[in-house]
Amino acid sequence: MDAVLRFSPALSDWVLHNLRQGCTPAQVVAAMRAQDMPPDAAKAIVDAFVFALRTGSPVPTDSVTVAPAYEHEASRLPPGTSIRTADRLVRVVARAAQPALAVLNDVFSAEECEELMALAKPRLAPSTTVDPLTGRDRVGEQRSSLGMFFRLRENAFIARLDERLSELMNLPVENGEGLQVLHYPAGAQSMPHYDFLVPSNAANQASLQRSGQRVSTLVGYLNEVEEGGETVFPETGWSVSPQRGSAVYFEYCNSLGQVDHASLHAGGLVVRGEKWVATKWMRQRRFVAVGEAPGP
């Protein structure tokens, strides 16, 4: 059951000021504990502010709601050191339990990587992020890449990849959003963010109602990067280097509908060369895009 912690607006102002001044969350928690605040309460309050700042959600003013701790479940990813799909043998290089994460090799062939990049290039546009308060797309500092989306099963080639990723991620093809291709030139990066949707605006609320929460992500690497471009998980210390044909897979929504904040991740700065990735997101239910009539 959720618990509510109440505090003064003055404390809200103080926490917000210190975080924006560059104090680390741990430093703010330590200062609150020095004033005899219970450790769990101090951490819960600061965590709520950090989450609001990362997602652009409204910051707390006089209370925070503390949800039960995220319950880690068995990964949806099939077990074993390799996974046989209908058309490919994918090797599992590494796994982690918290958050559920795996590094995979041979997800795409070299020829498939080249074809994906060639198909995507004419359709690339500056990547956008969703404004958490308005729900509108915006070009900003969070992501300095170029991107595009394929429609689900857009052609025979994309359909084959959609089927393969569905088998790997162990959810129906229909639950997947269209495959996204991103291009990061030298100097580009993406800042720490979550892939699950925060219901802080009408657009996200409507998307959650149509298709449910995002539950897992697969980021496939389409080229070799000379230096940089790692996928970094700052809450856990994991860092995955991009290698052509490989992928990192991770989960962040369990069967209870809880979301895992440890899935926070970022695309590291591309120091030399360029980076191309293909990303697949899976939903709890069939993905229904904006304006698409719901199925029977």
Side-chain angles (χ1 to χ4, degrees), residues 7-18 49 60-63:
F7 46 87
S8 70
L11 178 61
S12 174
D13 293 340
W14 180 86
V15 172
L16 188 59
H17 171 78
N18 281 279
F49 275 84
T61 55
D62 57 7
S63 67

Side-chain angles (χ1 to χ4, degrees), residues 61-291:
T61 55
D62 57 7
S63 67
V64 298
T65 301
V66 184
Y70 183 84
E71 292 192 21
H72 293 275
E73 300 172 341
S75 175
R76 296 179 183 86
L77 197 74
T81 58
S82 61
I83 302 169
R84 169 68 68 179
T85 70
D87 66 348
R88 196 159 185 82
L89 182 66
V90 174
R91 292 180 295 146
V92 181
V93 179
R95 292 180 188 258
Q98 298 182 15
L101 179 152
V103 180
L104 309 172
N105 276 359
D106 304 319
V107 175
F108 303 113
S109 69
E111 294 76 17
E112 289 170 336
C113 292
E114 292 296 328
E115 187 167 355
L116 269 175
M117 290 188 289
L119 290 174
K121 281 179 182 177
R123 297 162 59 176
L124 291 175
S127 298
T128 60
T129 56
V130 176
D131 187 308
L133 298 180
T134 67
R136 298 189 182 95
D137 289 339
R138 65 182 181 188
V139 178
E141 297 179 354
Q142 282 289 105
R143 190 182 295 274
S144 50
S145 58
L146 301 171
M148 57 77 64
F149 282 92
F150 292 102
R151 298 184 304 278
L152 198 64
R153 296 190 176 108
E154 179 172 318
N155 55 43
F157 171 64
I158 296 299
R160 184 172 79 241
L161 300 185
D162 285 336
E163 293 282 352
R164 182 186 305 159
L165 299 183
S166 167
E167 289 187 74
L168 285 173
M169 301 173 81
N170 207 17
L171 284 166
V173 172
E174 291 73 17
N175 287 32
E177 298 184 30
L179 193 63
Q180 181 191 44
V181 172
L182 291 171
H183 174 228
Y184 294 83
Q189 63 184 321
S190 66
M191 303 305 288
H193 62 280
Y194 303 102
D195 280 359
F196 56 77
L197 300 182
V198 179
S200 55
N201 59 72
N204 280 5
Q205 292 164 11
S207 183
L208 289 165
Q209 187 169 10
R210 288 193 306 271
S211 311
Q213 183 60 268
R214 284 178 178 168
V215 298
S216 58
T217 298
L218 184 143
V219 178
Y221 306 108
L222 305 181
N223 73 314
E224 301 289 341
V225 181
E226 292 181 51
E227 183 180 353
E230 298 87 356
T231 303
V232 180
F233 295 82
E235 296 292 319
T236 64
W238 276 82
S239 178
V240 181
S241 299
Q243 297 181 359
R244 186 172 66 175
S246 67
V248 58
Y249 164 88
F250 53 101
E251 300 173 8
Y252 37 80
C253 180
N254 62 19
S255 63
L256 302 174
Q258 296 175 309
V259 291
D260 188 1
H261 292 196
S263 65
L264 184 76
H265 60 286
L269 182 72
V270 178
V271 179
R272 289 189 297 135
E274 59 180 355
K275 181 175 77 169
W276 287 83
V277 300
T279 300
K280 171 67 74 173
W281 291 296
M282 283 289 183
R283 295 291 192 104
Q284 290 173 311
R285 303 190 295 274
R286 184 177 80 86
F287 177 63
V288 181
V290 176

